[in-house]
Amino acid sequence: MKLLFCGDVLGRSGRDAIAEHVPLLRQRLGLDFVVVNGENAAHGFGITPKICEEFFDVGVDCITLGNHSWDQREIMPYLDSEPRVLRPRNYPAGTPGKGAGIYPAPRGRKVMVVQVMGRLFMDALDDPFAAVEAEMARQRLGVTVHAVIVDVHGEASSEKMALGHYLDGRASLVVGSHSHIPTADAQIFPKGTAYQTDAGMCGDYDSVIGMKKEAATFRLVRKLPGERLSPAEGPGTLCAVFVETDDATGLAKRVEPVRLGGRLAQAMPVV
Amino acid sequence: MKLLFCGDVLGRSGRDAIAEHVPLLRQRLGLDFVVVNGENAAHGFGITPKICEEFFDVGVDCITLGNHSWDQREIMPYLDSEPRVLRPRNYPAGTPGKGAGIYPAPRGRKVMVVQVMGRLFMDALDDPFAAVEAEMARQRLGVTVHAVIVDVHGEASSEKMALGHYLDGRASLVVGSHSHIPTADAQIFPKGTAYQTDAGMCGDYDSVIGMKKEAATFRLVRKLPGERLSPAEGPGTLCAVFVETDDATGLAKRVEPVRLGGRLAQAMPVV
Amino acid sequence: MKLLFCGDVLGRSGRDAIAEHVPLLRQRLGLDFVVVNGENAAHGFGITPKICEEFFDVGVDCITLGNHSWDQREIMPYLDSEPRVLRPRNYPAGTPGKGAGIYPAPRGRKVMVVQVMGRLFMDALDDPFAAVEAEMARQRLGVTVHAVIVDVHGEASSEKMALGHYLDGRASLVVGSHSHIPTADAQIFPKGTAYQTDAGMCGDYDSVIGMKKEAATFRLVRKLPGERLSPAEGPGTLCAVFVETDDATGLAKRVEPVRLGGRLAQAMPVV
Amino acid sequence: MKLLFCGDVLGRSGRDAIAEHVPLLRQRLGLDFVVVNGENAAHGFGITPKICEEFFDVGVDCITLGNHSWDQREIMPYLDSEPRVLRPRNYPAGTPGKGAGIYPAPRGRKVMVVQVMGRLFMDALDDPFAAVEAEMARQRLGVTVHAVIVDVHGEASSEKMALGHYLDGRASLVVGSHSHIPTADAQIFPKGTAYQTDAGMCGDYDSVIGMKKEAATFRLVRKLPGERLSPAEGPGTLCAVFVETDDATGLAKRVEPVRLGGRLAQAMPVV
Ligand SMILES: [Fe+2]
Ligand SMILES: [Fe+2]
Ligand SMILES: [Fe+2]
Ligand SMILES: [Fe+2]
Ligand SMILES: [Fe+2]
Ligand SMILES: [Fe+2]
Ligand SMILES: [Fe+2]
Ligand SMILES: [Fe+2]
C-alpha cells in the first residue's frame, strides 16, 4: 500500500499547501491512504469541523491532533461524531473522541491509525507505550489490518525513537509530529517498520515553527508577553513522509520524505 | 569560505565516522574550517583531552560541547588551556573554559565560533540571546571576522529557530545540536544566515538517539532504572551541515546537509 | 483512630529521629497506626530492607516511598515479599511491589494506605487521580476500612491540593511528601478529609532539603557537578501529621502538625 | 527593626485580608516595614496600579511580584514610575521596573528589598544567585542598610533553601513565595539570616492554591481546558512572616509565622 503522513498543518499557509498538493500527490504517488496532523490548522491553534471537511474534500482520509486538540472547543462534539478525526489515545477515560481508528482503503484493505502523545517535556498524559499497546494487541499487521500508522506527537527525540523501536515489526510507519521541523532520519528499522522522528510542519518556514518570527522571538528574548502569536503568512512547504508497504506483511518496503513548495529543499519520491 | 559543522559525536561509532570521513570531506569539499560537537564522544558522556587531540589530528578545527560538557571531569583543566574546545557561553561567570573563540582559517581569514545552550526543557543557564549578543557586539561579520558559526545546543525547535532569526544577517551559520537527529530544514534566512535546526548525531541510528535501544526503551516503558545506558555500536552516520560563504560579507551562499555512512539516506553536496 | 504520618526520612539524622520519637509518640498520643515515608532513608537515596525492618521494630506500621524508590536496587525483590512497604500506585503494570495495602489496626480495625506520585514537574507516571480512584472504588470508608491515608508524593502544591479535594469525604487523610519542607496548612476539608500539603522531612534542617548545604548550593550557583550530595548530619527534626478520626465514619475530627527535635519550632498535639 | 512579609495576595479574599489585618498588625506588632507579594491580587492574575495604591494606603511599604507580573499590562508603565513595586531582579536588561529598592523606615533607617525568581520548574530567567549578588555587593547589612529582605519567588524548595544559605549572614530575611502554601520551617540560619521556604498565600484555602477547586481539579483530572480559573471567594487567611532584627547588625533575632483569619490554624507572635 502507498501511505502519506503530512505533519502539523499551520494556519492558512499550511492549509493552502494541503489543498494544492494532496490531490496531485494522491495521483502522482498512487496513494492509498493519507493522514494529516491538523492540530494547528485553525490560525495556529486547534482545528474546526469546517477545516476537517475541507481536508476530507481534497483527499485526506484521517486527521490526527495533539496538545492543541482543544484550542477550538467546537471540535469536541464533532470528535464524537466523526471517527476520521483522532486525538491522542493516552488522554484519560472520558475524553471526547478516540485515539485510534480502522479505516477502509482501496481494494478492501484496512488501515489502522493510532495517535499517542509523548510525555517528556509535555503535559503528562497516560503511558503512550501502554496506550498504543492496547490498540496493537487487538490487531495483527498483515492479517486483520493491512497497514498501521502511529503518530507520536512529542517533543523529545528519544521518546519518539524508543516508541519506534517498541513497535518495530508491528507497525507500518511510526512517525513523529509536534516539533514542526522535518527530520532527515527516515529509515526502515530492522524488523520492518518505517520511522521518521518528525514529519515536519506544513506551513511557512520563514517563521518560528510556523508563527511570525518577530512576536515569537520577542517572547524568548524579552520574557514579556508581547503580541499574540499568529501564523506566518508566506508560501508554505508541505512536509510529509511517504511509505510503501508490502500488503502481505504490512511492513515497509520504502520510506522517503516529501517536501513541496515554500523555502525548504524540495523532495519528491520517484515512483 | 567553506565550512562544515558535524553534530554530536556519540561514542566509538561516532568517533570512527569522524576519523573516516572528515579528512576526505576536507579534501573533497575544499573545506576551510571544521567544527565538531563532541559532548557525547566519550562512550556517550562527555569528552576527554585524548579524544579532542584525535579530532584535531584528523582535521577538526574547533570542538563544541553542551549539557554533557562535564561528564568527564578531566576536561575541566584542559578547557582552560585549549582554546579550540568551547563549552556553552551562557554558563555562569567562573566556569572553566570559554564559550567563544576566533580561529585562523586559510589565507589569513578568521572564523568566530560561539556556542550557547537553550533553556527550554533544559537546565537553566543564563540568557543565550544576551550571551551570543555579547560576542557578536565585538565583531563585525565580513570585517573583523570572515565567518561566524553559532552552535545552539538545545531541545526546543522554537528556541533554536528564534536564535537563528535573531542572528540573521550577523552570522554565517546558526545550527542546532543536542537532539541527535538531523533536521531537513536547511535554508538561508532572508538576511543571509544559513540555518538548520539540528545537525544530527554522528553515531549509530539503530538506537535511541545513539544509545542501545533496549536499555533506553526499558527506562521509558518500565520507569525503572534498568541497565546503564551505553552507545549503540553499529556503523555510524556522520551528520553535518555544509555552508559556503561569501568572503566579502561572511554571509551564506549555500547550505546543504551531509550524511555519510550508516543507516540514513546519504547526502553529499556537489562541488 | 489516631494516625501519624511522618514525612521523608533523610539519612542518619532522619532515622535517628524516627527511632527516638516514634515509640514515645505511639505511647503519648495513643497512636493506632503509623506511616513513614522512607524514600531517602538510605544516605538520602532510597531504602534498604534492613532499614525497613528497623522502622517496623520501632513501631512503624507502613512505609511509603516515591521517586527515589529504586535508588537501592535490593529493595525490588523485598517489595514483592513485604506488603507493608508501598511504592507509588501509578507506576506502570509490572512494577515490583504495590501502591496500596490494607493493614490491621488495634481492636479489629483496618487501615488502607495508598501512595500516588504527582506528575507536575516530576517523572510522568500514570494518572494519579485514576490510580487512587481504582483503590478507593473497592472500599468504603467507615464500612470496609476504618481509615484511609493517601500519601501524595509530589512537587506542585496545586496538584496535591487538587488530589485532597478530589478525595474529600472519602479519605481520612491526604498528605503530601517529597518537598522535604513541612507546610503549615493542616486543615479538615469541608467533607471531612484531613489535609496537609507536605508533612515535611525527618532530617537536619540546616541543609538544602536534608543534604549538605555546600555541595547542594554549589550545583545551583556554579552549574557544575561538584561533590556528590550527601545528607546533612546535624540533629534531625521529626516532621509529621497527626490525625484523629471518627471510627463510625473514618473522617477526621482533628489534624495537627508534629515537629520534634532539631532546629524547627516544636509542635506537639495536646491529648 | 520589625518586619513583615505577606505572601501572594490572591484576588478579593486576599485583598480583604490585607486591608483588614495589615493596619492592626502594624500597630500590634510595632511593625517598621511591610512587604506584600501582590502578583495574584487582580482576580488571581497580576496587579493593577489601583490595587497597588490600595495596598500603600493600608500600610504596605513595598510590593513584590513574580511570574504573574505582566498579567495586567497596565502595570508596565506604572512600574517605571513607582519604585515601591518590584518585579524579579533577574528579568533581562530592558524589562520595565526594577528588582530591588532601598526604602526609608522609621527613625532614619533604610530597608533594602530584592526579589529574584527561581528557575527550577519555572520560566528560565537569568541566574538568581548572580542577580541578588549584584545588589548585595553594593550594600553592607548593618552599615549602609539596616535590613535586607529577599523574596525568592520559586517552585522548588531546594533552590529557595540554597538561596537562603547563600545569603546567610548578609540578609535579614530570605523568604519564599509562589507555592501559595505557608511552610512551617521558619528558622534563623547559623549566620543570622531568618528563613522560611514560603510565606504562603493571602487568600481562601478552601481552594486549589487560591483558585476555585472545581475548575482547577477538572483540568488536572480531565486534561481538558474546562472553565477559566477564578479565585475562591471564601474568607481569606493572611499568611506572613514576622522578623525582628538587631539594628546594629541587621541580622534576625526572631522569626515567626503569622496566620490570621480563614481556615488555617491561627498564628500570632507575642510581643
Ligand atoms: Fe503542532
Ligand atoms: Fe503539538
Ligand atoms: Fe546535549
Ligand atoms: Fe548530545
Ligand atoms: Fe521524592
Ligand atoms: Fe524525598
Ligand atoms: Fe508565582
Ligand atoms: Fe502567586
Side-chain angles (χ1 to χ4, degrees):
Chain A
M1 216 175 320
K2 292 189 177 108
L3 313 167
L4 190 78
F5 179 91
C6 304
D8 308 44
V9 177
L10 206 143
R12 162 66 55 199
S13 296
R15 300 199 311 271
D16 285 353
I18 292 292
E20 182 183 347
H21 300 300
V22 166
L24 298 172
L25 285 166
R26 280 208 82 109
Q27 199 167 12
R28 188 153 154 200
L29 298 176
L31 297 174
D32 296 300
F33 202 83
V34 175
V35 182
V36 166
N37 183 300
E39 71 150 2
N40 308 106
H43 210 63
F45 298 97
I47 195 169
T48 60
K50 185 165 169 295
I51 295 175
C52 292
E53 301 293 339
E54 288 169 11
F55 285 170
F56 295 138
D57 286 349
V58 297
V60 171
D61 297 293
C62 176
I63 298 167
T64 56
L65 299 172
N67 54 312
H68 286 288
S69 295
W70 323 113
D71 289 357
Q72 306 294 327
R73 304 233 183 149
E74 57 184 296
I75 203 66
M76 288 191 188
Y78 184 73
L79 280 187
D80 282 328
S81 66
E82 175 49 82
R84 289 175 296 174
V85 186
L86 300 175
R87 45 73 181 170
R89 170 69 169 73
N90 49 337
Y91 270 98
T95 301
K98 296 198 167 174
I102 295 176
Y103 309 98
R107 283 181 281 132
R109 291 169 298 177
K110 291 192 278 182
V111 177
M112 178 160 79
V113 181
V114 186
Q115 183 180 46
V116 289
M117 195 141 89
R119 301 195 288 188
L120 291 186
F121 316 129
M122 303 199 71
D123 190 17
L125 298 188
D126 283 328
D127 182 353
F129 292 88
V132 79
E133 190 65 54
E135 297 298 335
M136 300 305 284
R138 293 188 217 157
Q139 306 300 331
R140 251 187 87 200
L141 182 62
V143 180
T144 63
V145 289
H146 301 82
V148 170
I149 299 171
V150 179
D151 172 4
V152 183
H153 194 76
E155 180 71 34
S157 47
S158 57
E159 192 178 24
K160 289 162 155 179
M161 212 161 178
L163 259 155
H165 287 298
Y166 183 78
L167 295 169
D168 188 16
R170 301 192 287 160
S172 310
L173 170 66
V174 175
V175 59
S177 55
H178 178 72
S179 83
H180 289 199
I181 304 290
T183 58
D185 63 335
Q187 59 168 304
I188 297 175
F189 278 153
K191 295 179 194 152
T193 296
Y195 173 79
Q196 187 173 308
T197 297
D198 206 294
M201 157 185 78
C202 299
D204 175 8
Y205 280 83
D206 184 13
S207 66
V208 171
I209 61 166
M211 295 301 194
K212 278 184 185 148
K213 55 195 177 187
E214 295 77 12
T217 304
F218 179 89
R219 287 178 180 217
L220 288 165
V221 175
R222 296 294 307 277
K223 296 286 180 183
L224 292 172
E227 276 178 69
R228 228 185 120 81
L229 293 179
S230 66
E233 291 166 343
T237 303
L238 177 137
C239 284
V241 180
F242 168 71
V243 180
E244 195 175 340
T245 60
D246 178 342
D247 276 353
T249 63
L251 294 171
K253 294 192 295 183
R254 178 184 177 191
V255 56
E256 283 189 48
V258 179
R259 294 187 300 275
L260 285 177
R263 303 177 62 84
L264 301 192
Q266 306 292 292
M268 170 62 89
V270 178
V271 289
Chain B
M1 219 176 316
K2 291 187 177 112
L3 313 167
L4 189 78
F5 180 92
C6 304
D8 308 43
V9 176
L10 206 142
R12 161 67 53 199
S13 297
R15 298 201 310 272
D16 285 352
I18 293 293
E20 181 184 348
H21 300 301
V22 166
L24 298 171
L25 286 167
R26 280 208 83 109
Q27 199 167 14
R28 187 153 158 200
L29 298 176
L31 297 175
D32 296 300
F33 202 83
V34 176
V35 182
V36 166
N37 183 300
E39 72 150 0
N40 308 105
H43 209 65
F45 298 97
I47 195 168
T48 60
K50 184 163 169 293
I51 296 174
C52 292
E53 301 294 339
E54 288 168 11
F55 284 170
F56 294 139
D57 286 349
V58 296
V60 171
D61 296 295
C62 176
I63 298 168
T64 56
L65 299 172
N67 54 311
H68 286 287
S69 294
W70 323 114
D71 288 357
Q72 306 295 327
R73 304 230 183 151
E74 55 184 296
I75 203 65
M76 289 190 186
Y78 184 74
L79 281 187
D80 282 327
S81 66
E82 177 47 84
R84 289 174 297 174
V85 186
L86 300 174
R87 43 75 182 171
R89 171 68 171 71
N90 48 338
Y91 270 98
T95 301
K98 296 198 166 175
I102 295 177
Y103 308 99
R107 280 181 282 134
R109 291 168 299 176
K110 290 192 278 182
V111 177
M112 179 161 78
V113 181
V114 186
Q115 182 180 46
V116 290
M117 194 141 90
R119 299 195 288 188
L120 291 185
F121 316 129
M122 303 199 73
D123 189 19
L125 297 187
D126 283 327
D127 181 354
F129 293 88
V132 79
E133 190 64 54
E135 298 298 335
M136 300 305 283
R138 294 187 216 158
Q139 306 301 332
R140 250 186 89 198
L141 182 62
V143 180
T144 63
V145 289
H146 301 83
V148 170
I149 300 172
V150 179
D151 172 4
V152 183
H153 195 76
E155 180 70 35
S157 47
S158 57
E159 191 178 25
K160 288 161 154 179
M161 213 163 179
L163 258 155
H165 287 298
Y166 182 77
L167 295 170
D168 188 16
R170 300 193 287 160
S172 310
L173 169 66
V174 176
V175 59
S177 55
H178 176 74
S179 83
H180 290 200
I181 304 291
T183 58
D185 63 334
Q187 60 168 303
I188 297 174
F189 278 154
K191 295 178 194 151
T193 295
Y195 173 80
Q196 186 172 310
T197 297
D198 206 295
M201 157 185 78
C202 298
D204 176 7
Y205 280 83
D206 184 14
S207 66
V208 171
I209 61 167
M211 295 302 193
K212 277 185 185 148
K213 57 196 177 187
E214 295 77 11
T217 304
F218 179 89
R219 289 179 180 215
L220 289 165
V221 175
R222 296 293 306 278
K223 295 285 180 185
L224 291 172
E227 277 178 69
R228 229 185 120 79
L229 294 179
S230 64
E233 291 166 341
T237 303
L238 178 137
C239 284
V241 180
F242 168 71
V243 179
E244 194 176 340
T245 60
D246 179 342
D247 276 351
T249 63
L251 295 171
K253 292 192 296 183
R254 178 184 176 189
V255 57
E256 281 189 49
V258 178
R259 293 188 301 275
L260 284 178
R263 304 177 61 86
L264 301 192
Q266 306 292 292
M268 172 61 90
V270 178
V271 288
Chain C
M1 219 175 318
K2 292 187 176 110
L3 313 167
L4 189 78
F5 180 92
C6 304
D8 308 45
V9 177
L10 205 142
R12 160 68 53 199
S13 297
R15 300 201 309 273
D16 285 353
I18 292 293
E20 181 183 348
H21 299 301
V22 165
L24 298 171
L25 285 167
R26 279 208 83 109
Q27 199 168 12
R28 186 152 158 201
L29 297 176
L31 297 174
D32 296 299
F33 202 84
V34 175
V35 182
V36 166
N37 183 301
E39 72 149 0
N40 308 105
H43 209 64
F45 298 97
I47 194 167
T48 61
K50 185 164 168 292
I51 295 175
C52 292
E53 301 294 340
E54 287 169 12
F55 285 171
F56 294 139
D57 286 349
V58 297
V60 171
D61 297 294
C62 176
I63 298 168
T64 56
L65 298 173
N67 53 312
H68 286 287
S69 294
W70 323 112
D71 288 357
Q72 306 295 329
R73 303 230 184 151
E74 56 183 296
I75 204 66
M76 289 190 186
Y78 184 73
L79 281 187
D80 281 328
S81 66
E82 176 48 84
R84 290 174 295 174
V85 187
L86 300 175
R87 44 74 182 171
R89 171 68 169 74
N90 48 339
Y91 270 98
T95 301
K98 296 198 167 175
I102 295 176
Y103 309 98
R107 281 182 281 133
R109 291 167 299 176
K110 290 192 278 181
V111 177
M112 178 160 79
V113 181
V114 186
Q115 182 179 46
V116 290
M117 194 140 90
R119 299 195 290 188
L120 291 186
F121 316 129
M122 303 198 73
D123 189 19
L125 298 188
D126 283 329
D127 181 353
F129 292 88
V132 79
E133 190 65 53
E135 297 298 333
M136 300 305 283
R138 294 186 217 157
Q139 307 300 332
R140 251 187 88 198
L141 182 61
V143 181
T144 63
V145 289
H146 300 83
V148 170
I149 300 172
V150 179
D151 173 3
V152 183
H153 194 77
E155 179 71 35
S157 47
S158 57
E159 192 178 24
K160 289 163 155 179
M161 212 163 178
L163 258 155
H165 287 298
Y166 182 77
L167 295 170
D168 189 16
R170 301 192 287 159
S172 311
L173 169 66
V174 176
V175 60
S177 55
H178 177 73
S179 84
H180 290 200
I181 304 291
T183 58
D185 64 334
Q187 60 168 302
I188 297 174
F189 278 154
K191 294 179 195 151
T193 295
Y195 173 79
Q196 186 172 310
T197 297
D198 206 294
M201 156 185 78
C202 298
D204 176 8
Y205 280 84
D206 183 14
S207 67
V208 171
I209 61 167
M211 295 303 193
K212 278 185 185 147
K213 56 196 177 188
E214 294 77 12
T217 304
F218 179 89
R219 288 178 181 216
L220 289 165
V221 175
R222 295 293 306 278
K223 296 285 181 184
L224 292 172
E227 276 177 69
R228 230 184 119 81
L229 294 180
S230 65
E233 291 166 342
T237 303
L238 178 137
C239 285
V241 180
F242 168 72
V243 179
E244 195 176 340
T245 60
D246 179 341
D247 275 352
T249 62
L251 295 171
K253 294 192 295 184
R254 178 185 178 190
V255 57
E256 282 190 50
V258 178
R259 294 188 299 275
L260 284 178
R263 304 177 60 86
L264 301 192
Q266 306 292 291
M268 172 61 90
V270 178
V271 287
Chain D
M1 216 174 321
K2 292 189 176 109
L3 313 167
L4 190 78
F5 179 92
C6 303
D8 308 44
V9 176
L10 206 143
R12 161 66 56 199
S13 297
R15 299 200 311 272
D16 285 353
I18 293 292
E20 182 184 347
H21 299 300
V22 167
L24 298 171
L25 285 167
R26 280 207 83 109
Q27 200 168 12
R28 189 154 154 199
L29 298 176
L31 297 174
D32 296 299
F33 201 84
V34 175
V35 182
V36 166
N37 183 301
E39 71 150 1
N40 307 105
H43 210 63
F45 299 97
I47 196 168
T48 60
K50 185 165 168 294
I51 295 175
C52 292
E53 301 294 339
E54 288 169 12
F55 284 170
F56 295 138
D57 286 349
V58 296
V60 171
D61 296 295
C62 176
I63 298 168
T64 56
L65 299 172
N67 54 312
H68 286 287
S69 295
W70 323 113
D71 289 357
Q72 307 295 327
R73 305 233 183 148
E74 56 183 297
I75 203 66
M76 288 190 188
Y78 184 74
L79 280 188
D80 282 328
S81 66
E82 175 49 84
R84 290 174 296 173
V85 187
L86 300 175
R87 43 76 181 168
R89 169 69 169 72
N90 49 338
Y91 270 99
T95 301
K98 295 197 167 178
I102 295 176
Y103 309 97
R107 282 181 282 133
R109 290 168 299 176
K110 291 192 278 181
V111 177
M112 178 160 81
V113 181
V114 186
Q115 182 178 47
V116 289
M117 195 141 91
R119 299 195 289 187
L120 291 186
F121 316 130
M122 303 198 72
D123 189 18
L125 298 187
D126 283 328
D127 182 354
F129 293 88
V132 79
E133 190 65 54
E135 298 298 333
M136 300 305 282
R138 294 187 216 159
Q139 307 299 331
R140 250 186 89 199
L141 182 62
V143 180
T144 63
V145 289
H146 300 83
V148 170
I149 300 171
V150 179
D151 172 4
V152 183
H153 195 77
E155 180 69 35
S157 47
S158 58
E159 193 178 23
K160 289 163 154 179
M161 212 162 178
L163 258 155
H165 287 297
Y166 182 78
L167 295 170
D168 188 15
R170 300 193 287 160
S172 311
L173 169 66
V174 175
V175 60
S177 55
H178 178 72
S179 83
H180 290 201
I181 304 292
T183 58
D185 63 336
Q187 61 168 304
I188 297 175
F189 278 154
K191 295 178 194 151
T193 296
Y195 173 79
Q196 186 173 309
T197 297
D198 206 294
M201 156 186 79
C202 298
D204 175 7
Y205 279 83
D206 184 13
S207 67
V208 171
I209 61 166
M211 295 301 194
K212 278 184 185 149
K213 56 195 176 187
E214 294 77 12
T217 304
F218 179 89
R219 288 179 179 215
L220 288 165
V221 175
R222 297 293 307 277
K223 296 284 180 184
L224 293 172
E227 276 178 70
R228 228 186 121 80
L229 294 179
S230 65
E233 291 166 342
T237 303
L238 177 136
C239 284
V241 180
F242 169 71
V243 180
E244 195 176 339
T245 60
D246 179 342
D247 276 352
T249 62
L251 295 171
K253 294 193 295 184
R254 178 184 176 192
V255 57
E256 282 189 49
V258 179
R259 293 187 301 275
L260 285 177
R263 303 176 61 86
L264 301 192
Q266 306 292 292
M268 172 61 89
V270 179
V271 288

